[in-house]
Amino acid sequence: MMKILVCGANGFIGRHLCLHLQAAGHRVLRGIRPGVPATCPAPDEVWMDFSSDTQTTIWESRLQQPGQIDVIINAIGILHESGKQTFEAIHRDAPIAMYQAAQRLGITRIVQISALGGNQDVQIHEGMSPYLRTKRETDLFLLQSDLSALILCPSLIVGLDGISSRFFRVLASLPVLLIPGDGQQRLQPVHIDDLCEAVVRWLSHPADKTVTLDVVGPCAMTYTEMLGNYRQLMGLQPGHVLRIPLWIMHTAAGLSRFFPQRLLSHDSLRMLENHNVADPAPLQQLLARPSRNKESWFPQIPASMLASEALLKWHLMCYRSTLALIWIVTAVLSLGLYPIQDSLQLLQALPVPASLQLPLLYSAGVLDGLLGLACIVFPSRKLWVFQLGLIGVYSLLIALYLPQFWLHPFGPILKNVTIVALLISLISTDRKAS
């Protein structure tokens, strides 16, 4: 049994590594970002923040646990930079500082989760994306050190609870498959269990040198074929294809950093364009068996369950987008597109002084616009509940002071029933991020 520190234990890869290592009989320390200041880490937790922990002295103090740490596994990575969370800090400076401290303390076994790039040479070269370059700089440090490291370079990782797998299942379930460019980018998805088992098997054998292992599935496929396979596993019929020019994709990637998502970025697109394939034999040799093929990505999971989860995801996205459109259009109309005098005439029916009617109109318009933007940028249960209450207030005021709108042939108030249904659906399906 070994004592193993898993950095990024709350992430997709880290969670699965912890489970596999514990099942193999190892004692696991979970490296996670600090919690609320008033709390303390649990006995099996080690608090760390790669965005700021870039000094060797910090790691020397942290790694001096009661009882020697035998192995460090680094499963931390980002696709988007934000504030202090830069590629340089998280992919290079903090890991290298941690590994230097490990060397001084006699911790010699390391597992580094790197990345599979189009060019499998670990050397740095011009034109490398910042994401991949900083990963490679850490890989080179390990290769040139006296540490015994396993550098894993995975292609896309498949798993039921993986962020990327969920994202691709949603894309595959759309009525029209959105394909970047020609869709012929080559990938070699690997199952998370194969990656974790490779780590467990490597740890079970003495190692005296650093090795780099490409972690890929048994066969390559194009991006279009991958979405088609996801669709087949969900029991859906083949879908129509819409090819999106890459310049549009890169424009969307530039804008995506302003929205709550973690997958679409310039770096992820560049890696996709450079292809992500390698020889599967070394991984299969370590596993002593074939790696999982595309038909066995989700064993024992009914196709209907996979499809329901994916369909619900983009249905909820449609609900949010519809609400955002309604609030924003309402704001534009209230703030002047609809004649101001006509709006003020409607407000005269309310028990509001004439001097406050124009400020009230503008305030309501601004509030509607902010609610529309919040539907896109800051979706939350509290937001949906607030909107539900606001719709209730609007409907009550209209019922009391403008009852003629209930009898209007276009049914402007009756349409609130649809909005309420959307909000109730969003509230009932709200889940804390895992």
Side-chain angles (χ1 to χ4, degrees):
M1 182 185 79
M2 288 184 269
K3 186 177 181 181
I4 302 173
L5 172 62
V6 178
C7 305
N10 283 347
F12 168 55
I13 298 176
R15 288 197 309 271
H16 284 266
L17 280 171
C18 289
L19 292 173
H20 279 74
L21 292 168
Q22 290 168 336
H26 299 295
R27 181 185 172 192
V28 174
L29 290 175
R30 300 172 60 251
I32 60 175
R33 294 185 68 183
V36 179
T39 67
C40 296
D44 67 337
E45 293 178 348
V46 178
W47 283 357
M48 56 185 63
D49 186 349
F50 273 31
S51 66
S52 56
D53 298 343
T54 57
Q55 301 298 317
T56 304
T57 52
I58 295 175
W59 287 102
E60 286 183 353
S61 174
R62 181 172 293 143
L63 296 176
Q64 289 176 340
Q65 293 279 323
Q68 175 72 29
I69 292 176
D70 300 297
V71 182
I72 295 175
I73 299 178
N74 175 24
I76 294 179
I78 57 172
L79 280 176
H80 285 282
E81 292 184 308
S82 176
K84 294 194 305 179
Q85 293 194 353
T86 64
F87 293 130
E88 284 75 13
I90 291 178
H91 291 172
R92 183 191 65 199
D93 298 341
I96 288 178
M98 178 174 65
Y99 298 149
Q100 289 172 333
Q103 276 185 303
R104 296 178 187 178
L105 297 173
I107 305 170
T108 59
R109 301 201 76 180
I110 305 293
V111 177
Q112 161 78 2
I113 309 296
S114 187
L116 187 70
N119 186 337
Q120 303 314 314
D121 188 352
V122 296
Q123 299 299 320
I124 311 299
H125 61 81
E126 187 177 354
M128 246 183 192
S129 69
Y131 171 91
L132 193 57
R133 173 179 53 78
T134 50
K135 285 281 190 181
R136 288 289 185 263
E137 287 170 344
T138 302
D139 298 347
L140 281 174
F141 170 83
L142 290 171
L143 287 166
Q144 295 167 0
S145 72
D146 295 329
L147 295 166
S148 172
L150 173 65
I151 301 172
L152 297 177
C153 298
S155 183
L156 280 175
I157 302 176
V158 175
L160 184 64
D161 58 331
I163 293 176
S164 63
S165 282
R166 286 173 170 168
F167 175 72
F168 289 124
R169 293 203 300 273
V170 170
L171 287 183
S173 69
L174 293 173
V176 176
L177 300 182
L178 306 178
I179 303 296
D182 60 7
Q184 296 304 301
Q185 304 89 349
R186 298 179 70 229
L187 307 160
Q188 212 160 334
V190 62
H191 198 275
I192 182 64
D193 287 347
D194 288 344
L195 182 149
C196 293
E197 187 177 336
V199 172
V200 172
R201 282 184 167 271
W202 181 79
L203 292 175
S204 66
H205 297 89
D208 56 3
K209 65 177 182 178
T210 293
V211 295
T212 300
L213 179 67
D214 294 330
V215 183
V216 296
C219 60
M221 62 187 72
T222 67
Y223 183 93
T224 304
E225 289 170 343
M226 179 187 69
L227 289 188
N229 187 63
Y230 273 116
R231 198 169 177 87
Q232 184 177 357
L233 292 173
M234 291 186 288
L236 301 176
Q237 295 296 320
H240 299 287
V241 171
L242 175 63
R243 305 189 190 282
I244 304 175
L246 287 173
W247 70 267
I248 294 180
M249 293 296 300
H250 279 283
T251 301
L255 297 173
S256 66
R257 67 181 183 273
F258 300 111
F259 298 95
Q261 64 87 41
R262 289 179 280 176
L263 290 174
L264 183 60
S265 69
H266 288 300
D267 284 319
S268 61
L269 283 174
R270 288 170 66 180
M271 286 189 289
L272 178 65
E273 293 167 34
N274 289 332
H275 308 291
N276 264 255
V277 295
D279 183 2
L283 173 63
Q284 295 179 352
Q285 182 177 0
L286 179 59
L287 296 175
R289 62 168 176 80
S291 48
R292 285 196 185 189
N293 58 33
K294 62 182 183 179
E295 289 78 18
S296 58
W297 282 354
F298 307 109
Q300 301 177 342
I301 305 296
S304 58
M305 183 180 296
L306 291 172
S308 296
E309 182 192 35
L311 292 169
L312 176 62
K313 190 75 173 176
W314 70 261
H315 286 175
L316 294 178
M317 291 172 61
C318 287
Y319 297 169
R320 284 170 47 194
S321 301
T322 300
L323 285 170
L325 180 63
I326 290 172
W327 287 115
I328 291 172
V329 170
T330 301
V332 172
L333 293 173
S334 299
L335 294 175
L337 189 59
Y338 186 78
I340 295 292
Q341 290 303 318
D342 291 352
S343 295
L344 292 175
Q345 187 175 0
L346 292 173
L347 290 178
Q348 289 175 4
L350 301 179
V352 177
S355 61
L356 295 180
Q357 290 175 0
L358 187 60
L360 177 62
L361 176 63
Y362 285 143
S363 298
V366 171
L367 176 61
D368 290 348
L370 292 176
L371 288 174
L373 293 175
C375 289
I376 301 172
V377 182
F378 302 112
S380 70
R381 182 184 182 89
K382 290 181 179 179
L383 177 64
W384 313 135
V385 172
F386 178 81
Q387 291 183 14
L388 193 60
L390 187 61
I391 291 293
V393 170
Y394 284 169
S395 299
L396 179 61
L397 290 174
I398 291 170
L400 292 175
Y401 299 105
L402 297 165
Q404 67 272 22
F405 280 101
W406 288 100
L407 303 176
H408 196 286
F410 288 167
I413 308 307
L414 189 61
K415 291 181 173 63
N416 283 351
V417 175
T418 302
I419 299 176
V420 168
L422 295 182
L423 289 168
I424 291 175
S425 296
L426 289 167
I427 292 170
S428 64
T429 54
D430 181 80
R431 296 289 184 273
K432 290 183 179 180
S434 59

